[in-house]
Amino acid sequence: MQVLKFGGTSVGSSKNINRVITILENYATKDKVICVVSAVGGITDKLLKAGRLAQKKDEDYLSEYKTIKSIHLKLLLELVPSKNKAISKTIEDKLKQLKELLDGIYLINELSPQTSDKLVSFGELLSSFIITEALKYKGVNAKRKNTQDLIVTNSNFTKAEVDFETTNLKIRDYFNESDYSITLVPGFISKSNKGEITTLGRGGSDYTAAIIAAALNVTQLEIWTDVSGMYTANPKLVKHAFPIERISYQEAMELSHFGAKVLYPPTVQPVLDLNIPIHIKNTLKPEALGTIISNENNNKSNIATGITNINNIALLTLQGNGMVGVPGFSKRLFEVLAQEKINIILITQASSEHSICFGILQNDASTAETAINTAFEHEISIHKIDPIIVELNLSIIALIGDNMKNHQSISGKMFSTLGKNNINIRAIAQGASERNISAVIAEKDVEKALNTIHERFFEDNNKQLNVFITGIGNVGEKLIDQIEQQHEFLKKNLKLDVRIIGLANSRKMVFNANGIDLKNWAAQFHHADKSTLEGFFEKATQLNLRNSIFVDVTANEAVSKMYAGYLKNSIAVVACSKIACSSDYKNYKHLKDLSLKYNTPFLYETNVGAGLPIINTLNNLVASGDKVTSIQAVLSGSLNFIFNNFNDHTNFHDTVKRAQFEGYTEPDPRIDLSGIDVARKMLILARENGGTMDIDAIENESFLTKANLESGSVDDFYKTLKKDEAHFQALYANAKAKDCQLKYVAEFKNGKAKVGLQEIPNNHPFSNLEGKDNIVMFYTQRYPEQPLIVKGAGAGADVTASGLFADIIRIGNN
């Protein structure tokens, strides 16, 4: 004897029902089949909705009834297209009984648990009848048997308890005598020992199948649904989730209790006692392996088996100094909840006995709050305890697995992973069996939490980085190209999956939560949304993706003012712009403090030296206990390029124009030539070395003329350069006469900093700087005479993009 159960989605359409029929016909060639079916997908909810509307005197219940009627008659017509008058009449008669019941609810304005059971029983009765007739229509030797004649319960309506002794006897007697190849039985429904219609609770069709399988002691129970088994996580929320091939009964019960909808928890008990395996299969993909649930868990390689969640949770806390050392508070509290028929999902109590915290369904929160405050009214009035505290819009996530007890620090890994993504944990519970670690978090963080934990425990330590880039100029385009080019390398060698989720320029912005196609990213801007800084920020925070990184490739002060918001929302910031770190010291310190407070990286290596590891080197020196006594540097690739190419055979105007054309200067070259850019870089290094100065503390000896500095626009600036050519030639001639080169140098010593043009002798380390190179010399207690030198290209789109990319990778590796 074979027992198969098909859920609501499996029988939700004529197409799917035909798939079910094909499966049943194949199984019937091997042995007799008992097929348990749920109501057609969505019908139970519609029946309950119609009942509630009728109870409220809302005539829209008639509309719901018509929809229910239409669905079933349409199914019948599609499955049994001819010679179906007698069958149609039977369906019409059953639907007429449903209509009369709803009319009665409307008239008496009451929907009792007993009436509710009678109401929802129509779903399974109708579906099982239609599928049986469809089998007969195809010539299959099939019969429908009403489980209300087989399963006997008490009168606990909506969730009746089974009288197994009587039920098992009835099931064995009937099926031992049955000659039919396939017997269809409706799931979920039953009758009390008084003859009243009862139900086994939502999801009870699984339970029906398990009861029958256990009564007949079959070799295996098969539950067919719309997914290929039990998954490591909800595949609708976690795209990398995968089916679990084998799982223990205990693990399956834990996963089911904590939200895995594939299996109804009480299902396991009848078959568990007899060690009957349960095989979860996919009606839409019958060839898929599915999941086998048994006493054996062959999943020895993974530490954990699955991660799941329950939404719509309320967390209630009873607390007060008067609870400490006083027995009986827990008993009274839980008795109150039991009287209100409120199920407790999670409990945790402080060892100080000062508080008891428990999770319940949010729909029960108001009832629980009123009942508890009433029960403890006296203690509250004398301030022995506080009124019950209620927190809403929460979820429970649970990491589950038999193997977890054999591994240390599982909870530490779980909670540190959540912490790194700034997911706040409201309560924690872990059983002594170590099979389940549960945490209560905000419902808005569920998807991020599931993906984060799944990545940590089930994806071979692959880490997904979700990047948002604003500023798609030369550097931004190079960064996108580098990420696209290195994607597979990073995934294979560093276990980093870098995805660009959002892109924005000054006009348009595009997003794709699954990752933008980087081979065709520019074309997506043709139909993009209008770009705003606030809109980009809101979308990035709304997506709430794990390991999110915001990359600023602009020179826009307004963008830098958004950094604090990103950091507070656990979105790391990688900044190419120097504006934030060279702004008022108070703002710089605030951003650094936010990074520490929210455990969110704030990196800006490219602020000084483009792709050179200057800031990182300085930070390592300081962190290792060395003391930097002075810094000497050429920090402007733009100015170095200009003075390396300017001589008595060229003119200064054309040299600056060339530097701008080749991308070595800002769009406004005055930022570079005024020395403010170098001053900002020196300021950042001074601050990284522990200094607290602001930009006005840096002495800036400008080599420009008064006319250059006072020019009103870029065009005017270039005009003044032409007029003042003699000034620049004189600077060059003076240096040449001394056998020196012109270099724009930044210096920091004894807490003071200055920047300016200097004549560098040919034997100086700065003298052989070519093109756009930068150089930084760190004199420290460990490097007092021969400095630690960092040297290389300090400007250009490629190297700047590579510096930003390195910061992104650094975040991924931490």
Side-chain angles (χ1 to χ4, degrees):
M1 193 77 73
Q2 303 170 93
V3 180
L4 286 70
K5 177 263 174 179
F6 291 88
T9 307
S10 297
V11 296
S13 67
S14 57
K15 183 179 180 180
N16 284 356
I17 290 173
N18 278 320
R19 287 192 174 106
V20 171
I21 290 172
T22 300
I23 292 167
L24 292 175
E25 287 179 315
N26 289 335
Y27 272 68
T29 61
K30 305 168 190 173
D31 200 352
K32 292 178 183 178
V33 176
I34 302 169
C35 174
V36 180
V37 293
S38 296
V40 172
I43 289 297
T44 302
D45 287 334
K46 289 183 182 298
L47 287 165
L48 287 169
K49 182 179 178 181
R52 286 192 293 266
L53 289 169
Q55 181 190 17
K56 295 175 182 177
K57 292 287 188 179
D58 188 335
E59 293 190 359
D60 282 348
Y61 82 91
L62 294 171
S63 176
E64 287 296 324
Y65 165 75
K66 288 176 183 176
T67 302
I68 294 166
K69 179 178 179 180
S70 172
I71 289 171
H72 288 96
L73 291 178
K74 181 174 180 287
L75 274 179
L76 180 62
L77 184 61
E78 290 171 349
L79 293 167
V80 188
S82 61
K83 298 180 181 179
N84 62 9
K85 284 186 178 180
I87 303 169
S88 295
K89 185 177 185 308
T90 303
I91 291 289
E92 291 274 11
D93 288 345
K94 183 59 71 175
L95 288 166
K96 184 179 178 182
Q97 293 173 28
L98 171 59
K99 171 70 163 45
E100 290 171 352
L101 179 59
L102 288 169
D103 290 342
I105 295 170
Y106 180 84
L107 289 172
I108 66 172
N109 194 31
E110 183 183 342
L111 180 59
S112 66
Q114 183 175 0
T115 305
S116 178
D117 273 0
K118 187 174 183 181
L119 176 65
V120 295
S121 69
F122 280 90
E124 273 73 11
L125 291 171
L126 288 166
S127 64
S128 59
F129 178 80
I130 291 171
I131 296 168
T132 303
E133 294 304 321
L135 281 163
K136 291 179 181 177
Y137 185 76
K138 289 180 175 287
V140 178
N141 180 25
K143 180 178 176 60
R144 172 178 173 270
K145 176 62 177 175
N146 190 342
T147 38
Q148 291 171 329
D149 299 332
L150 300 174
I151 298 179
V152 180
T153 70
N154 63 8
S155 297
N156 186 15
F157 299 105
T158 73
K159 197 172 183 180
E161 296 175 14
V162 177
D163 176 351
F164 280 100
E165 184 176 351
T166 305
T167 297
N168 290 344
L169 185 61
K170 283 178 174 284
I171 291 170
R172 290 174 192 139
D173 287 346
Y174 177 80
F175 286 106
N176 286 338
E177 298 295 326
S178 175
D179 310 349
Y180 291 92
S181 300
I182 300 172
T183 303
L184 262 289
V185 297
F188 178 55
I189 60 176
S190 50
K191 271 188 181 178
S192 73
N193 44 28
K194 298 177 182 177
E196 306 150 320
I197 293 174
T198 56
T199 61
L200 303 177
R202 291 300 298 268
S205 291
D206 288 352
Y207 196 19
T208 302
I211 292 167
I212 294 172
L216 299 175
N217 200 13
V218 298
T219 56
Q220 178 174 273
L221 166 61
E222 294 191 7
I223 294 179
W224 291 73
T225 181
D226 58 347
V227 291
S228 300
M230 299 188 83
Y231 277 67
T232 49
N234 183 345
K236 294 178 181 177
L237 299 177
V238 181
K239 294 191 179 299
H240 293 292
F242 52 88
I244 306 164
E245 288 187 20
R246 286 187 173 272
I247 187 173
S248 72
Y249 289 124
Q250 290 77 16
E251 289 172 320
M253 290 178 74
E254 292 277 7
L255 284 170
S256 300
H257 174 70
F258 279 93
K261 302 300 182 185
V262 176
L263 189 70
Y264 181 58
T267 298
V268 177
Q269 197 60 50
V271 292
L272 184 150
D273 293 338
L274 296 174
N275 195 20
I276 298 172
I278 302 172
H279 197 174
I280 310 293
K281 297 277 286 177
N282 188 346
T283 308
L284 308 181
K285 295 180 181 178
E287 71 284 355
L289 292 176
T291 299
I292 295 176
I293 305 169
S294 68
N295 269 333
E296 291 185 30
N297 174 10
N298 294 332
N299 178 31
K300 301 298 183 185
S301 58
N302 282 345
I303 295 172
T305 300
I307 172 79
T308 187
N309 69 288
I310 309 175
N311 290 337
N312 301 313
I313 293 295
L315 191 66
L316 280 70
T317 303
L318 186 68
Q319 64 181 23
N321 292 326
M323 294 171 58
V324 179
V326 180
F329 273 97
S330 299
K331 176 179 180 292
R332 288 174 59 194
L333 172 64
F334 298 135
E335 279 181 348
V336 169
L337 296 171
Q339 288 166 6
E340 297 294 335
K341 296 186 176 179
I342 294 173
N343 184 43
I344 300 172
I345 301 169
L346 173 145
I347 303 172
T348 180
Q349 181 172 10
S351 58
S352 66
E353 302 180 45
H354 178 265
S355 65
I356 302 171
C357 182
F358 57 95
I360 61 175
L361 290 177
Q362 190 161 291
N363 291 340
D364 294 328
S366 179
T367 303
E369 180 180 18
T370 302
I372 294 168
N373 283 337
T374 301
F376 291 93
E377 184 176 8
H378 174 67
E379 287 85 353
I380 293 171
S381 68
I382 60 174
H383 305 292
K384 196 172 184 179
I385 63 171
D386 301 330
I388 192 79
I389 299 170
V390 180
E391 298 173 72
L392 304 176
N393 302 315
L394 302 173
S395 291
I396 297 174
I397 55 170
L399 184 68
I400 290 160
D402 283 339
N403 293 338
M404 295 195 321
K405 61 179 175 285
N406 299 320
H407 295 266
Q408 295 181 356
S409 304
I410 302 300
S411 57
K413 291 176 183 176
M414 175 179 171
F415 297 134
S416 66
T417 300
L418 293 174
K420 285 179 181 178
N421 278 275
N422 202 27
I423 297 169
N424 188 37
I425 299 171
R426 296 294 305 116
I428 297 169
Q430 181 174 7
S433 69
E434 299 183 59
R435 186 180 288 122
N436 180 324
I437 304 172
S438 301
V440 181
I441 63 172
E443 193 167 315
K444 66 180 180 64
D445 289 329
V446 164
E447 186 168 349
K448 182 200 277 190
L450 292 177
N451 279 277
T452 299
I453 297 173
H454 193 274
E455 183 179 77
R456 179 66 181 83
F457 287 94
F458 299 100
E459 297 177 31
D460 194 26
N461 284 333
N462 273 327
K463 189 174 186 179
Q464 188 182 92
L465 304 181
N466 295 295
V467 180
F468 299 83
I469 301 174
T470 184
I472 316 297
N474 289 336
V475 175
E477 289 184 4
K478 294 294 184 183
L479 176 59
I480 295 168
D481 291 343
Q482 290 175 13
I483 291 174
E484 194 273 329
Q485 175 189 323
Q486 291 298 108
H487 182 264
E488 291 307 314
F489 173 86
L490 293 176
K491 202 169 181 180
K492 180 180 179 182
N493 294 280
L494 298 183
K495 302 295 184 183
L496 296 178
D497 179 13
V498 183
R499 311 186 311 165
I500 297 180
I501 305 301
L503 290 171
N505 56 29
S506 59
R507 300 176 305 279
K508 299 285 188 72
M509 59 183 185
V510 295
F511 295 91
N512 187 330
N514 296 317
I516 292 170
D517 179 6
L518 299 187
K519 296 184 185 298
N520 192 35
W521 65 267
Q524 298 179 49
F525 275 86
H526 296 316
H527 305 288
D529 296 329
K530 182 180 178 181
S531 180
T532 66
L533 299 182
E534 294 76 13
F536 196 80
F537 170 75
E538 287 173 7
K539 186 65 175 178
T541 52
Q542 178 190 343
L543 286 170
N544 200 23
L545 299 172
R546 67 194 186 278
N547 307 322
S548 290
I549 303 171
F550 171 69
V551 184
D552 177 13
V553 201
T554 73
N556 188 331
E557 184 177 0
V559 176
S560 71
K561 290 180 178 178
M562 305 293 291
Y563 294 175
Y566 283 104
L567 293 171
K568 288 176 183 177
N569 282 275
S570 71
I571 298 176
V573 173
V574 171
C576 179
S577 167
K578 293 175 281 292
I579 294 172
C581 289
S582 62
S583 64
D584 180 78
Y585 179 78
K586 185 178 180 182
N587 181 60
Y588 162 82
K589 183 68 165 55
H590 178 58
L591 293 175
K592 299 283 282 187
D593 289 344
L594 287 176
S595 176
L596 288 172
K597 179 179 180 179
Y598 292 97
N599 194 28
T600 306
F602 173 37
L603 301 181
Y604 38 88
E605 184 66 72
T606 53
N607 279 196
V608 182
L612 296 177
I614 294 172
I615 294 175
N616 191 49
T617 299
L618 175 56
N619 287 337
N620 288 339
L621 287 170
V622 173
S624 66
D626 201 356
K627 183 176 176 59
V628 177
T629 55
S630 71
I631 302 171
Q632 296 179 27
V634 173
L635 294 174
S636 174
S638 310
L639 287 171
N640 201 45
F641 177 88
I642 289 169
F643 284 111
N644 277 336
N645 287 280
F646 171 60
N647 54 49
D648 49 8
H649 300 295
T650 62
N651 66 68
F652 197 70
H653 168 278
D654 292 347
T655 306
V656 175
K657 273 283 188 182
R658 177 186 168 192
Q660 184 182 23
F661 177 76
E662 295 191 18
Y664 297 133
T665 73
E666 299 288 348
D668 184 348
R670 290 175 295 180
I671 297 173
D672 297 287
L673 273 71
S674 69
I676 186 64
D677 186 62
V678 176
R680 286 172 176 166
K681 293 175 180 178
M682 191 71 253
L683 176 64
I684 292 169
L685 291 181
R687 287 175 171 177
E688 294 297 302
N689 192 40
T692 60
M693 65 177 61
D694 279 313
I695 192 71
D696 55 8
I698 297 180
E699 183 182 348
N700 186 352
E701 301 172 349
S702 179
F703 65 89
L704 295 176
T705 68
K706 183 178 179 181
N708 301 153
L709 293 170
E710 293 177 355
S711 57
S713 67
V714 174
D715 288 341
D716 289 342
F717 176 67
Y718 275 115
K719 289 175 184 177
T720 65
L721 292 183
K722 282 186 176 181
K723 290 179 182 178
D724 294 334
E725 179 64 24
H727 167 73
F728 300 111
Q729 288 294 343
L731 291 173
Y732 176 78
N734 287 336
K736 185 177 181 182
K738 299 173 185 175
D739 199 21
C740 291
Q741 299 178 31
L742 291 173
K743 300 293 178 185
Y744 201 87
V745 178
E747 294 180 297
F748 175 81
K749 190 173 184 179
N750 298 325
K752 295 182 179 181
K754 66 177 181 177
V755 298
L757 195 64
Q758 294 186 16
E759 297 173 345
I760 301 298
N762 286 329
N763 61 349
H764 193 280
F766 291 173
S767 64
N768 60 357
L769 276 184
E770 298 180 356
K772 57 185 181 296
D773 284 1
N774 280 190
I775 186 171
V776 178
M777 301 193 302
F778 294 110
Y779 288 90
T780 75
Q781 289 180 342
R782 295 173 188 162
Y783 298 91
E785 296 175 0
Q786 294 298 323
L788 175 61
I789 297 176
V790 180
K791 178 183 175 182
D798 270 327
V799 292
T800 305
S802 69
L804 292 169
F805 198 4
D807 275 350
I808 293 170
I809 293 170
R810 190 173 297 121
I811 290 171
N813 284 332
N814 287 337

